[in-house]
Amino acid sequence: MTERCQGDTRPRTGPRARTAIVLAAAALLAATSVAFLPGTASAGTTLGASAAEKGRYFGTAVAASRLSDGNYTTILNREFNSVTPENEMKIDATEPQQGRFSYGAAEQIVNHARSRGMSVRGHTLAWHSQQPSWMESMSGSALRSAMLNHVTQVATHFRGQVVAWDVVNEAFEDGTSGARRNSNLQRTGNDWIEAAFRAARAADPGAKLCYNDYNTDNWTHAKTQAVYNMVRDFKSRGVPIDCVGFQSHFNNDSPYVSNYRTTLSSFAALGVDVQVTELDIQGAPAATYRSVVEDCLAVARCNGVTVWGIRDSDSWRASQTPLLFNSSGQKKAAYDAVLAALNNGTTPTDPPTTPPTTPPTTPPSGSCTATLQDSTRWGDRFNSQVTVSGASNWTVVVAVTPPQKVSNTWNGTPTWDSSGNVMTMRSNGSGNVFGFTTMANGTWTRPVVRSCTAS
Ligand code: XIL
């Protein structure tokens, strides 16, 4: 099918001419057996691959206890390229007794994700809820130091493995006051949030540091404005904050509103990334899911969307059936709507850029050939796609130029050398085209394919 773009001035063709064009195109495809057509490779068939084509991730909350459920992990591994531990990184899980840290369940999720090329969002370092009892009963300077020590220990433990941390969760009150939530952490002094961010930055300088909250979706709400003012203040004073997470638990009491996109773009304009971190929608209306994804795609600094569970039966609000898969693991209408939104999504409104112009690299081949092609480019990052021919079980080594960093991959299983600049990608049954997103960090040199070996 041919698509017409805005501004397309070609004469419209009649039905007969169209048939001729379609037949000619089919014949051309058959004759050349093209292995790769930009935008039509296996990306586009799963949430993660489609999001990655747009330079974003599509994630889910994961419970360690469900990783032994084959139906669950099949969907997880097929559809998602980002993971947030649902409870396993919370304070009661990671420091059940003061000074005694417990990372087993969190590591299980992190290892599952990273060994399959999924990134990890860390959730959460400082929160009034799900505190262990020793912390619940603390106050004052003892609590402040215990909180900071917790942030430091946990962020240090997972340094380099978590792309973004929800450093502080839910610190504002609901309703019209715009005030901070009255919690034991708040009572240690109004500067507890910035102190937590500073401790997190020192412990893991490479992770993005987010503030995360709910009921902050409606741009006109006092709580949204209060968080906005805090972020603006942090940015103006150099408090290390990189992103804001919008939980986006939508239901009849707290519905999706059409100014959501304004909220995302207004925060982004402060110079932070925005992320939809815990999406679920009562009844899973397809149109609302679609709107949320379109809103994220319309904001260049919206990095991705995480749904808060895979199947309805995995949801913390299971009776609301708010997720993309039913309890048997079948795709719901909302799934189709999300995938369509990801595939039709608009390109972010970053300044126009010219893709790198060096010709495709064809490496010296063993028994396979890997060809790297430029794909979409944004203001801060770009996608590359690698097409492998001559082998179905392949291993391709790709190098990026420091300080570039690969932030996302799809359709392969990556491992890394100690520098983090050399990625070894292995086939994972998703076909012969894999892709990745490179954060430019100011350097736009094209990644290089070093080798392709068949195994
Ligand atoms: C929820 C989990 O999904 C439940 O399993 C747990 O019992 C309670 O917490 N906001 C957050 C999440 O930031 O951590 C919460 O997760 C949902 C609301």
Side-chain angles (χ1 to χ4, degrees):
M1 214 206 290
T2 23
E3 278 182 12
R4 297 179 68 87
C5 309
Q6 251 186 344
D8 184 346
T9 53
R10 288 171 299 165
R12 289 183 183 275
T13 47
R16 221 174 274 160
R18 265 203 303 273
T19 311
I21 291 169
V22 169
L23 288 176
L28 184 68
L29 268 179
T32 53
S33 67
V34 179
F36 169 69
L37 287 171
T40 62
S42 46
T45 60
T46 67
L47 303 173
S50 297
E53 287 251 304
K54 297 286 186 297
R56 324 300 170 101
Y57 61 80
F58 204 94
T60 179
V62 163
S65 60
R66 297 187 201 274
L67 289 175
S68 53
D69 173 343
N71 180 261
Y72 180 86
T73 52
T74 298
I75 304 171
L76 168 63
N77 299 347
R78 186 186 69 219
E79 297 289 343
F80 297 96
N81 58 4
S82 168
V83 152
T84 306
E86 186 173 358
N87 288 295
E88 293 76 356
M89 284 184 170
K90 291 174 180 174
I91 314 175
D92 58 354
T94 48
E95 196 177 356
Q97 285 150 11
Q98 188 170 16
R100 297 183 65 155
F101 291 85
S102 149
Y103 297 118
E107 282 172 347
Q108 220 185 313
I109 297 175
V110 170
N111 294 339
H112 183 99
R114 286 174 48 80
S115 65
R116 289 166 177 81
M118 307 169 189
S119 57
V120 178
R121 294 195 81 260
H123 175 79
T124 174
L125 296 171
W127 191 21
H128 70 277
S129 182
Q130 292 184 264
Q131 292 184 358
S133 49
W134 64 265
M135 186 180 269
E136 273 176 338
S137 57
M138 277 182 117
S139 62
S141 58
L143 174 60
R144 174 65 71 94
S145 331
M147 180 274 285
L148 292 176
N149 182 54
H150 180 84
V151 171
T152 301
Q153 296 295 328
V154 178
T156 301
H157 182 83
F158 289 106
R159 180 163 49 207
Q161 303 188 60
V162 167
V163 295
W165 270 110
D166 291 332
V167 177
V168 170
N169 199 29
E170 302 182 351
F172 282 80
E173 204 162 86
D174 289 312
T176 56
S177 73
R180 294 282 185 87
R181 178 190 295 274
N182 180 8
S183 71
N184 61 346
L185 291 168
Q186 180 62 30
R187 289 190 295 272
T188 68
N190 207 47
D191 62 343
W192 74 276
I193 299 181
E194 59 194 87
F197 274 86
R198 291 201 168 93
R201 179 69 97 224
D204 186 357
K208 285 184 179 175
L209 305 182
C210 304
Y211 175 78
N212 192 53
D213 214 329
Y214 67 94
N215 280 353
T216 47
D217 317 292
N218 188 328
W219 179 238
T220 66
H221 278 180
K223 187 171 174 182
T224 310
Q225 291 298 312
V227 174
Y228 177 84
N229 288 334
M230 177 187 75
V231 174
R232 189 171 54 183
D233 170 54
F234 280 9
K235 292 300 285 182
S236 74
R237 290 191 295 111
V239 177
I241 183 168
D242 307 305
C243 39
V244 175
F246 297 84
Q247 293 185 12
S248 306
H249 296 291
F250 292 121
N251 53 54
N252 298 340
D253 297 328
S254 175
Y256 168 82
V257 280
S258 58
N259 67 29
Y260 187 60
R261 189 180 296 193
T262 302
T263 303
L264 298 179
S265 60
S266 302
F267 275 84
L270 292 175
V272 288
D273 289 344
V274 292
Q275 305 176 344
V276 181
T277 52
E278 305 183 14
L279 180 63
D280 49 22
I281 313 178
Q282 182 167 18
T288 315
Y289 261 107
R290 183 179 191 121
S291 297
V292 171
V293 172
E294 286 174 348
D295 290 343
C296 178
L297 290 175
V299 176
R301 293 196 74 151
C302 184
N303 310 132
V305 174
T306 297
V307 286
W308 205 239
I310 298 178
R311 303 162 302 192
D312 286 332
S313 49
D314 302 319
S315 170
W316 71 313
R317 290 175 168 169
S319 65
Q320 293 186 3
T321 60
L323 295 176
L324 300 178
F325 295 86
N326 70 16
S327 298
S328 322
Q330 280 153 348
K331 296 169 183 173
K332 295 165 59 178
Y335 172 96
D336 297 330
V338 166
L339 189 64
L342 291 169
N343 286 334
N344 299 334
T346 53
T347 305
T349 51
D350 279 321
T353 49
T354 322
T357 49
T358 44
T361 311
T362 307
S365 60
S367 42
C368 56
T369 304
T371 305
L372 185 143
Q373 289 189 302
D374 304 319
S375 179
T376 317
R377 181 169 170 173
W378 294 271
D380 59 347
R381 63 199 188 282
F382 57 93
N383 280 358
S384 309
Q385 307 227 40
V386 179
T387 305
V388 182
S389 59
S392 52
N393 286 327
W394 40 260
T395 302
V396 177
V397 177
V398 179
V400 300
T401 308
Q404 290 175 343
K405 218 175 161 195
V406 174
S407 59
N408 213 349
T409 69
W410 57 99
N411 294 348
T413 301
T415 51
W416 305 89
D417 78 337
S418 55
S419 72
N421 305 319
V422 181
M423 172 173 76
T424 300
M425 185 70 96
R426 291 190 173 79
S427 51
N428 68 354
S430 304
N432 67 337
V433 180
F434 71 86
F436 56 98
T437 305
T438 304
M439 299 305 301
N441 295 323
T443 299
W444 293 93
T445 314
R446 196 165 209 261
V448 174
V449 173
R450 290 203 174 153
S451 64
C452 182
T453 44
S455 48

